[in-house]
Amino acid sequence: MNNLIPDRTHLAAKRGFIRTAAQSLATSFTFPAGVTIAFTGDALLACIVGLCSLIIGAAVNGAQSYLSILGSGIPDDYQPEA
């Protein structure tokens, strides 16, 4: 069956989602939690805001990468070595 999106592009988009979501997880907690604790002084609230930022940030950034690859094609970083 002829797919609208080639399998290679779909696989690269999945890889892009995972890679970008993982990078986002590495950086999304500190800033929102730090700003929250600086303004409120409440450590529990800062942890909750930081964790929500982790979840939402990773999902949004991963989805952006996924849709970007589907729309624009496979970037050079994901091209197989010749």
Side-chain angles (χ1 to χ4, degrees):
M1 179 170 201
N2 191 2
N3 292 335
L4 181 63
I5 300 170
D7 290 337
R8 282 184 48 202
T9 305
H10 197 19
L11 178 62
K14 288 180 185 178
R15 289 179 60 207
F17 177 89
I18 292 168
R19 179 181 178 184
T20 305
Q23 290 170 341
S24 180
L25 285 173
T27 60
S28 294
F29 181 82
T30 307
F31 184 73
V35 169
T36 302
I37 203 163
F39 283 113
T40 66
D42 187 355
L44 179 60
L45 179 62
C47 286
I48 292 169
V49 168
L51 290 174
C52 289
S53 175
L54 278 175
I55 295 166
I56 294 168
V60 168
N61 292 332
Q64 181 273 331
S65 174
Y66 182 85
L67 295 173
S68 175
I69 291 172
L70 287 183
S72 301
I74 302 172
D76 292 337
D77 290 348
Y78 295 164
Q79 294 291 346
E81 296 293 325

